[in-house]
Amino acid sequence: MRTYLDLARQGRNEWWRHVLAVLLMLFMWQIVGAIPSAFLLVWNVLDGGLSIDSTSISSLPGLDTLSGFIALMLASVFFLCGIFLAVRFILRRSMRSLVTPARSVDWKRAFQGFGIWFLLVALMSVLEAVLFPGRYAWTLDLPRFIPFIFLALLLIPLQTSAEELFFRAYLLTRLGQAGLP
C-alpha cells in the first residue's frame, strides 16, 4: 500500500518544475486573482462612489458588500485553477494525488470531518453568545442574505480547498519528498 508521502514521487519531479509550478500557482492567485478586486475598485472610483485617497477597502463608501465578497473570493477560484494547471501539466500528476493515495476520495470521511468542525464552531459560537451577549446582534436582512448565502456556500469551499491543496497537499508533500531518501 502506498503512503501519502509516496505520492510526492509521482509525476515529473525536477526542481525547476516545482519552482515553475509554485510561480504559476502564486501568479494565478495574487496577480490574476487581484484583477476582479482591482476592476471593482476602479469601477467604484469612476462611478463616483469612492475617492482615490481612501485607505481601507472595508471603509470605502459605495462598495457593495456582495460584489466585494465575490471579487475577493474569485482570487481563490483563480488560485485553484493555477493549482490544477501546475499539477496536471507541469508536474504531470493527478489532482487526486494531492488528496489521497487511495483510488478515490473518501467523501463520507470528508463530510464527517466537516460535520464535526461545524458542530464545534456552532457550539463555541453559542457559548460565546451566552457569555458575551453584547457581541451579537440580530440583523437578518433576507433580501441581502439570500444571495449571499448561496454565493458563500459555493465560493467558501473553493477558497478553503485551494488553500488546503496548496499548503497542506502540495507544499507538505514537496517538503516530505525533500526529506525522503
Side-chain angles (χ1 to χ4, degrees):
M1 173 114 195
R2 293 182 302 185
T3 66
Y4 185 68
L5 283 180
D6 289 336
L7 298 176
R9 293 188 181 112
Q10 287 184 353
R12 307 293 302 263
N13 285 308
E14 296 85 5
W15 68 270
W16 62 269
R17 286 181 182 273
H18 288 285
V19 170
L20 186 61
V22 169
L23 289 175
L24 174 64
M25 292 177 208
L26 294 177
F27 174 79
M28 291 293 290
W29 182 24
Q30 295 295 312
I31 305 300
V32 177
I35 292 172
S37 295
F39 176 77
L40 180 65
L41 188 62
V42 169
W43 177 269
N44 279 290
V45 168
L46 294 177
D47 194 34
L50 304 176
S51 63
I52 297 290
D53 61 347
S54 297
T55 57
S56 169
I57 196 158
S58 63
S59 66
L60 297 176
L63 185 60
D64 178 19
T65 305
L66 187 60
S67 59
F69 173 75
I70 293 168
L72 290 174
M73 289 290 113
L74 281 177
S76 297
V77 173
F78 288 112
F79 189 25
L80 199 55
C81 291
I83 293 169
F84 172 77
L85 292 171
V87 169
R88 188 76 181 110
F89 298 108
I90 296 173
L91 301 174
R92 310 270 185 196
R93 290 175 57 182
S94 69
M95 286 295 287
R96 183 189 44 77
S97 72
L98 291 178
V99 179
T100 180
R103 293 195 187 274
S104 64
V105 175
D106 186 354
W107 290 106
K108 180 182 175 188
R109 192 171 175 189
F111 287 121
Q112 182 181 31
F114 171 79
I116 290 170
W117 273 109
F118 183 81
L119 181 64
L120 289 173
V121 169
L123 288 173
M124 292 304 294
S125 295
V126 168
L127 181 64
E128 183 182 16
V130 169
L131 293 176
F132 305 101
R135 291 185 185 174
Y136 289 89
W138 185 261
T139 58
L140 182 62
D141 181 6
L142 279 178
R144 290 182 68 190
F145 178 74
I146 290 174
F148 177 77
I149 194 69
F150 288 117
L151 288 167
L153 289 172
L154 173 71
L155 295 173
I156 290 175
L158 294 176
Q159 183 263 337
T160 57
S161 297
E163 288 183 14
E164 290 294 319
L165 287 172
F166 179 70
F167 290 107
R168 289 185 190 244
Y170 177 73
L171 287 182
L172 284 180
T173 56
R174 180 66 187 138
L175 291 171
Q177 183 185 24
L180 293 175

